[in-house]
Amino acid sequence: MTPVTTDELSGMGPLVARLTRGGQRLRHADRARPWVLDTAVVVVVFLMFCLPDLVHGVRDDGDGPRRFRLAFTELPVPAMLAFQAGLVLPLLWRRRKPAVAFGVTAAVFVLQWAIGAALRADVALLVALYSLALHGWLRQLPWACAVMTGALALVAVRASPAVSVWDGLFFLLSTATAALALGLVVRIRRAQLAGLRDRATRLEIERDQRSRLAAATERTRVAREMHDIVGHNLSVIITLADAGAYAADAAPERGKEALRLIGDTGRQALGELRRVLGVLRVAADGTAEGPELSPQPGIPDIEALCAKVRAAGLGIVYRTSGDMDALDSGVQLTVYRIVQEALTNTLKHADPDTVVRLAIVEKDARLTVRVQDTGPAAPSGRPNEEGHGLVGMRERAALYGGTVSAGPAGGGWSVEAVLDLAPQGGAR
């Protein structure tokens, strides 16, 4: 059970707050040593109901009409102690084995009243019935109620010289019903509290799981962005560096141009990395710093991407068809990253004289991106290998119900992505 906080207790009265804290301490102590409470119940029942009979006796206290006192048998002290022990001691296991405790107590109760003896310790039968309703199996209650009714009917018959049978039976059954109802009410309340605690625990687990899933999704997104940015730009830089090294002696101006392009590409990659990693940066005081924001790349930026790839030595024929400006930013970013990854793979694996045909076609609520090169169809690393690049392209396309296919085509290599632009969850 969730402990009551200090703030909650401060809004209560001092007495209620002390009682609440005392109840919590008792519950903790009972969980640690359950036998202490069971023993305390037996001791309390003995002091309140058994000891007066041993000291004063049943008939000598002068209470009640004389004919009521003379209706019962006076027991010697050893017999009285034996009956009291049979009534009270079973309460020691009233929580562990409530049905056994009730059965033993009821048997001793019936035997005692069969010989006409009356003891204050008979209240133990009500405690046993309460414990059975609280801790026992519910299917045991019908036979327990039947046994209780028979035992109380015997009491009513024995007390008939002083009280009519029906009046006595009504009073006794009302008392037993109160004990039974109290046990059921406490049982239902505990079940409700247990259900609330279980629900709170499950909600906490679900909250933690959602947080972990969100973190994992964000890590995947950042890793995908990093792969696209770093992989593409490094491929361009490596290609330009190789070209500049070859041209350094024969054509110094081409070497300088390659170095300038390397610097521009590196600065662009650094800017994109800062933008992606900026969302993960945390200040020293624990508050998130605002990242350096810039627009996400889209279809209009593909032209600049193609220019960098041309500078690296590849020929690119780029065309579009359809209304590109009407596409939302998410679709445009997906197209840009797919094209970027496809061109990066071409830079890695194709020959320097390779020509790439890039087409982006929007038609009938479908967007097709096709990147086909004239390089070797099966260079090292291309066939039957799905690296992070192709997996990332497929993940991006799947966000829009699309697919990505890659393989040999027309003597070269082709990558084709098809995105579904139809609104999701539309009317049928």
Side-chain angles (χ1 to χ4, degrees):
M1 183 175 181
T2 304
V4 179
T5 62
T6 305
D7 294 338
E8 293 173 336
L9 290 177
S10 61
M12 308 177 185
L15 178 61
V16 176
R18 284 195 294 270
L19 291 175
T20 302
R21 285 192 292 267
Q24 290 178 352
R25 293 193 195 99
L26 285 176
R27 282 192 292 271
H28 292 320
D30 184 45
R31 292 192 192 100
R33 298 179 178 85
W35 59 268
V36 174
L37 180 59
D38 296 334
T39 305
V41 170
V42 172
V43 171
V44 169
V45 172
F46 176 80
L47 294 177
M48 293 182 63
F49 301 101
C50 298
L51 194 58
D53 284 347
L54 294 174
V55 175
H56 302 292
V58 178
R59 300 193 320 165
D60 298 335
D61 56 3
D63 295 337
R66 179 176 177 80
R67 62 193 180 96
F68 183 80
R69 287 184 279 121
L70 294 178
F72 303 112
T73 303
E74 183 177 2
L75 293 175
V77 173
M80 187 182 299
L81 281 173
F83 278 115
Q84 288 176 345
L87 291 169
V88 175
L89 289 181
L91 298 182
L92 286 172
W93 59 84
R94 65 184 183 88
R95 293 191 292 181
R96 289 169 294 172
K97 297 180 179 180
V100 175
F102 176 81
V104 174
T105 304
V108 176
F109 181 88
V110 171
L111 178 61
Q112 168 210 321
W113 280 96
I115 64 175
L119 296 173
R120 292 182 177 89
D122 291 337
V123 74
L125 185 62
L126 297 177
V127 178
L129 180 63
Y130 162 83
S131 301
L132 180 62
L134 178 58
H135 303 290
W137 297 99
L138 292 179
R139 63 173 178 266
Q140 296 171 339
L141 289 181
W143 69 259
C145 292
V147 171
M148 192 74 175
T149 302
L152 296 182
L154 177 60
V155 176
V157 171
R158 282 294 185 177
S160 59
V163 182
S164 69
V165 174
W166 294 112
D167 290 344
L169 189 59
F170 174 78
F171 172 77
L172 294 172
L173 289 178
S174 299
T175 306
T177 301
L180 179 65
L182 180 61
L184 291 175
V185 168
V186 175
R187 183 190 189 113
I188 292 171
R189 178 58 178 167
R190 288 184 179 179
Q192 290 175 339
L193 292 176
L196 291 175
R197 287 194 296 270
D198 180 67
R199 184 171 182 271
T201 302
R202 284 188 285 106
L203 288 176
E204 290 179 359
I205 294 174
E206 290 174 2
R207 180 198 61 194
D208 295 340
Q209 289 176 341
R210 285 195 297 269
S211 299
R212 287 193 293 269
L213 287 174
T217 302
E218 184 63 16
R219 284 195 299 269
T220 302
R221 186 191 69 80
V222 172
R224 189 169 57 229
E225 292 286 335
M226 296 267 302
H227 175 271
D228 292 342
I229 294 170
V230 175
H232 171 75
N233 288 287
L234 282 181
S235 296
V236 173
I237 289 173
I238 292 171
T239 304
L240 288 172
D242 292 339
Y246 286 118
D249 296 330
E253 292 300 324
R254 293 291 301 273
K256 291 180 181 179
E257 178 67 15
L259 291 176
R260 186 185 64 79
L261 291 174
I262 288 174
D264 292 341
T265 303
R267 281 188 290 272
Q268 180 182 355
L270 184 60
E272 293 187 19
L273 286 176
R274 284 175 176 171
R275 174 178 53 78
V276 172
L277 298 178
V279 298
L280 305 178
R281 190 179 301 134
V282 178
D285 59 355
T287 59
E289 293 181 355
E292 298 179 5
L293 300 179
S294 62
Q296 291 274 31
I299 292 179
D301 300 295
I302 293 180
E303 187 61 50
L305 180 66
C306 292
K308 289 197 303 180
V309 176
R310 289 190 187 100
L314 293 182
I316 296 184
V317 179
Y318 171 46
R319 70 179 182 88
T320 62
S321 176
D323 189 2
M324 299 292 110
D325 295 334
L327 301 177
D328 64 58
S329 58
V331 174
Q332 294 203 28
L333 175 62
T334 298
V335 172
Y336 181 89
R337 293 304 186 198
I338 290 175
V339 171
Q340 185 183 52
E341 181 61 33
L343 294 179
T344 300
N345 288 336
T346 301
L347 277 173
K348 289 179 181 178
H349 305 294
D351 295 332
D353 57 349
T354 296
V355 176
V356 180
R357 291 180 175 82
L358 169 60
I360 303 175
V361 179
E362 186 270 328
K363 184 179 180 181
D364 298 331
R366 295 176 72 85
L367 185 68
T368 303
V369 180
R370 184 179 295 106
V371 182
Q372 183 173 354
D373 61 59
T374 59
S380 175
R382 259 187 180 177
N384 301 323
E385 274 192 34
E386 291 195 7
H388 295 292
L390 186 55
V391 173
M393 285 191 283
R394 285 175 173 164
E395 289 177 351
R396 290 182 182 277
L399 295 176
Y400 296 92
T403 59
V404 175
S405 58
W413 192 265
S414 175
V415 175
E416 182 174 286
V418 181
L419 307 183
D420 185 5
L421 304 180
Q424 301 296 318
R428 293 180 182 270

